[in-house]
Amino acid sequence: MNQESRTSEDRYRLGMDLVEQLGSGEAVPTTFELLDMEWEVLPGTYAPHRGTGTEWYTTVIPYPKGGRFLEIGSGAGVTAIWAALHGGCSHVTATDITEAAVGSTSRNAELHGVADQVRTLRSDVFAELDAEDRFDMVFWNCSVFEAPSEFEFTRDVEWAIFDRGYEALGRYLSQVHDRLLPGGRALVTFNTLGDVDRVTAVAADSGVTLNLLDSSARNLKGYDVTYKLFEILPGTQE
Ligand SMILES: C[S@@+](CC[C@H](N)C(=O)[O-])C[C@H]1O[C@@H](n2cnc3c(N)ncnc32)[C@H](O)[C@@H]1O
């Protein structure tokens, strides 16, 4: 099916298929390999296998060398740990809304020897951060499928795929600039499996513009997808 012709119901079904394929299961911790490293995930954590956006975004983010990096929704912790190990960031804060993801990120920071540089925190977007905490870069590989307003999250991994009415993304876009140090940059990802028109509208409602930095066409579990990395600029275009 061509991406433009997908209805919201088609996207919902596709999101549910990815929940089944990318969830790490609800029973025991598992491991996977990505970017030539081994990662451990606690039950319920999104496991970013080959072909996921995580694989590509992690290597193309223009990390702030020597700076402070905040990752919202760190999941298994691949990007947060890479930022400390290879991105040259002096400090990383990694947050997630699920306890399973926070535990997985902590575990992987220990496994890869960067636990002293990577702080983990359970938080709904910015809610639990100290009011004065500021960063040189804030990044979120967000959940790209819009769930209907009545959607109930019943499995942790659903948080990695669905966002009810793009409400969490709207909060991220409208608050992210308040979290930047002078000269800091705000980034967000999106991809063509989600509703690009809706997200453009959410950005406008949040008072920001999404400026495409880079993109890459891949295949995820049989679906053609183009991953996109955006810089979030304050203000809306005329
Ligand atoms: C697409 S996954 C990306 C995970 C990981 N960063 C990666 O690239 O593999 C989105 C992540 O955002 C988290 N998330 C969803 N809603 C959130 C919210 N309101 N606040 C914080 N994290 C959230 C999910 O639990 C999930 O780990």
Side-chain angles (χ1 to χ4, degrees):
M1 179 182 295
N2 132 352
Q3 290 161 1
E4 285 72 35
S5 63
R6 278 195 188 110
T7 63
S8 51
E9 288 76 23
D10 295 332
R11 286 197 194 91
Y12 180 76
R13 275 194 296 275
L14 201 163
M16 274 301 175
D17 183 34
L18 292 177
V19 164
E20 300 307 329
Q21 296 205 55
L22 295 169
S24 59
E26 298 290 323
V28 290
T30 51
T31 58
F32 65 95
E33 207 187 287
L34 191 73
L35 299 170
D36 294 326
M37 292 166 71
E38 183 145 302
W39 307 90
E40 217 175 275
V41 279
L42 295 175
T45 309
Y46 173 79
H49 292 285
R50 290 226 176 115
T52 56
T54 312
E55 181 183 33
W56 177 69
Y57 300 129
T58 299
T59 62
V60 296
I61 292 169
Y63 295 99
K65 305 282 177 219
R68 292 171 57 77
F69 182 80
L70 169 63
E71 183 180 15
I72 300 295
S74 60
V78 173
T79 306
I81 286 147
W82 191 274
L85 271 180
H86 304 297
C89 300
S90 59
H91 168 85
V92 176
T93 292
T95 74
D96 205 286
I97 199 163
T98 76
E99 196 62 53
V102 174
S104 298
T105 298
S106 300
R107 176 78 189 123
N108 285 311
E110 276 167 31
L111 278 177
H112 295 295
V114 289
D116 54 339
Q117 266 169 280
V118 179
R119 177 175 75 120
T120 57
L121 181 71
R122 188 173 185 186
S123 179
D124 181 358
V125 193
F126 301 111
E128 303 304 322
L129 287 172
D130 291 342
E132 67 282 1
D133 228 349
R134 299 286 181 277
F135 302 86
D136 296 290
M137 182 168 283
V138 183
F139 169 79
W140 190 10
N141 177 17
C142 68
S143 310
V144 297
F145 292 89
E146 182 172 23
S149 54
E150 67 278 11
F151 181 82
E152 294 286 349
F153 290 88
T154 57
R155 290 172 288 178
D156 280 345
V157 71
E158 289 168 353
W159 288 97
I161 304 291
F162 289 111
D163 182 353
R164 263 188 306 236
Y166 288 130
E167 179 276 333
L169 179 63
R171 267 186 293 134
Y172 177 74
L173 295 176
S174 56
Q175 296 171 18
V176 69
H177 290 105
D178 299 338
R179 289 292 171 176
L180 295 179
L181 287 162
R185 301 176 76 183
L187 306 185
V188 70
T189 68
F190 204 66
N191 71 51
T192 50
L193 300 178
D195 190 337
V196 176
D197 293 341
R198 276 281 293 129
V199 164
T200 306
V202 171
D205 289 348
S206 307
V208 300
T209 301
L210 300 182
N211 181 42
L212 185 66
L213 293 182
D214 207 344
S215 65
S216 179
R218 306 265 169 134
N219 189 277
L220 173 64
K221 304 284 181 195
Y223 299 106
D224 287 332
V225 53
T226 301
Y227 294 116
K228 300 185 181 205
L229 178 65
F230 294 96
E231 180 156 8
I232 308 160
L233 302 176
T236 49
Q237 284 171 343
E238 298 291 295

